[in-house]
Amino acid sequence: MEEIRFEQLSTLSHPQRMEVFRLLMRRYPDALPAGEITDVLGLKASTASVYLSALREAGLITQTRSGRSLLYRANIAALRGLVGFLFNDCCRGRPDLCPPEALASLQGGPAMSDGKYNVLFICTGNSARSIIAETLLRHLAGDRFNAFSAGTRPYSELNPIALATLHDKGFDTAGLRSKNISEFQGPDAPKLDFVFTVCDRAANEECPAWAGQPISAHWGLPDPVKATGTEAEKSLAFQQVFGMLKHRLSAFTALPLDTLDRISLQKAVDEIGHPETEDHA
């Protein structure tokens, strides 16, 4: 077993292989085609193939086939084993050496404390999907959740069709605005309990780790802003995203947050965004 862990550490010691692995971790539980990985990281196809092969041989990622495409996903069970090896073997499980929050996460950790939870939805532009999510959560369970949204590169104005969609459904849009994620990363920012990315571009980007280790997940949604055709067809794209978010947030607000440990809660929010994905950890 030690030989496997050493091989995994050696594989991740290569900066570009680590970059591929980190991308797959950010997008987990998505399974990404090789072409998307090369595009996001700016790699040659042949180079990406070598890196993916090395990661797969080390057991750090899995490969599946969908039609003619090969799809790659981070192997969470392997990563958990590797991190556990580092803490238990290298640190000898000493609490003065091992970060207590990391050890708690490996063991499941306690359930979340009762109270009002802060939830942040992130998209690139913060003009449509994340704005809809923020508004919906506030409407569905504003007594239990403080809902926020932000963008990695926010637009100056909100998408007019997104606002029209919310307005037509009776939501107040007067206080909505685009915000940069930097508003939620300083010492005066609210302590976040959950962070959800709702667009692939935002999930692909390198961002600093969030303070306090909030539960995070990727809930990728199609971009309604890219819809073409008649005004009715464009509006339909926004209606569909609204419906998807309402379904996911209804499931999220129904979770027994005060009884689930961190691992169980993480699995639950992953499955809400990807109900067809099983965690093989």
Side-chain angles (χ1 to χ4, degrees):
M1 182 61 71
E2 282 191 0
E3 291 182 0
I4 294 175
R5 301 309 179 200
F6 292 149
E7 180 186 357
Q8 291 172 338
L9 289 171
S10 177
T11 301
L12 293 176
S13 69
H14 187 281
Q16 282 70 48
R17 289 196 293 259
M18 173 62 93
E19 193 175 7
V20 173
F21 184 71
R22 292 178 71 185
L23 170 63
L24 292 175
M25 283 299 300
R26 292 196 298 275
R27 288 289 300 274
Y28 184 84
D30 282 356
L32 303 189
E36 184 173 350
I37 295 170
T38 59
D39 290 343
V40 171
L41 299 179
L43 300 171
K44 294 181 179 179
S46 57
T47 302
S49 178
V50 172
Y51 295 160
L52 289 165
S53 178
L55 290 165
R56 184 170 173 244
E57 289 177 5
L60 292 164
I61 66 173
T62 61
Q63 180 192 79
T64 56
R65 181 177 291 276
S66 177
R68 300 178 62 182
S69 298
L70 292 175
L71 305 178
Y72 298 90
R73 179 184 287 120
N75 186 345
I76 298 301
L79 180 63
R80 188 175 296 149
L82 177 59
V83 174
F85 166 76
L86 290 173
F87 284 139
N88 295 324
D89 188 271
C90 298
C91 297
R92 298 297 181 188
R94 287 178 49 174
D96 57 328
L97 298 179
C98 302
E101 65 273 11
L103 285 174
S105 296
L106 285 174
Q107 298 163 359
M112 301 190 74
S113 58
D114 194 17
K116 200 166 185 179
Y117 306 105
N118 293 327
V119 184
L120 176 64
F121 299 97
I122 299 176
C123 203
T124 305
N126 190 213
S127 70
R129 286 165 287 185
S130 52
I131 287 290
I132 293 174
E134 173 189 354
T135 306
L136 261 173
L137 180 57
R138 192 174 293 126
H139 171 75
L140 290 171
D143 57 328
R144 297 173 52 220
F145 297 92
N146 294 313
F148 308 96
S149 69
T152 56
R153 292 188 294 277
Y155 296 119
S156 58
E157 296 182 358
L158 302 183
N159 184 277
I161 306 180
L163 292 178
T165 300
L166 292 171
H167 185 268
D168 290 346
K169 295 182 180 296
F171 295 108
D172 181 11
T173 61
L176 297 175
R177 64 181 179 89
S178 287
K179 301 166 289 296
N180 193 290
I181 59 171
S182 61
E183 291 191 25
F184 300 91
Q185 293 175 323
D188 297 327
K191 180 184 178 298
L192 298 173
D193 298 294
F194 297 90
V195 177
F196 299 121
T197 49
V198 292
C199 78
D200 292 346
R201 285 182 61 193
N204 289 342
E205 296 181 15
E206 285 274 11
C207 291
W210 293 95
Q213 291 190 318
I215 297 289
S216 61
H218 176 51
W219 289 357
L221 294 160
D223 187 358
V225 177
K226 293 183 178 179
T228 59
T230 65
E231 291 303 311
E233 289 170 330
K234 293 178 182 177
S235 178
L236 177 60
F238 282 84
Q239 297 284 347
Q240 291 171 336
V241 166
F242 179 94
M244 294 168 69
L245 279 168
K246 184 176 182 181
H247 176 76
R248 294 180 184 185
L249 290 172
S250 295
F252 171 64
T253 56
L255 292 174
L257 301 182
D258 57 344
T259 63
L260 294 175
D261 63 36
R262 284 185 63 91
I263 290 178
S264 299
L265 183 53
Q266 183 66 65
K267 182 178 179 180
V269 296
D270 283 339
E271 289 179 346
I272 287 173
H274 300 262
E276 75 287 352
T277 300
E278 294 183 359
D279 184 355
H280 300 285

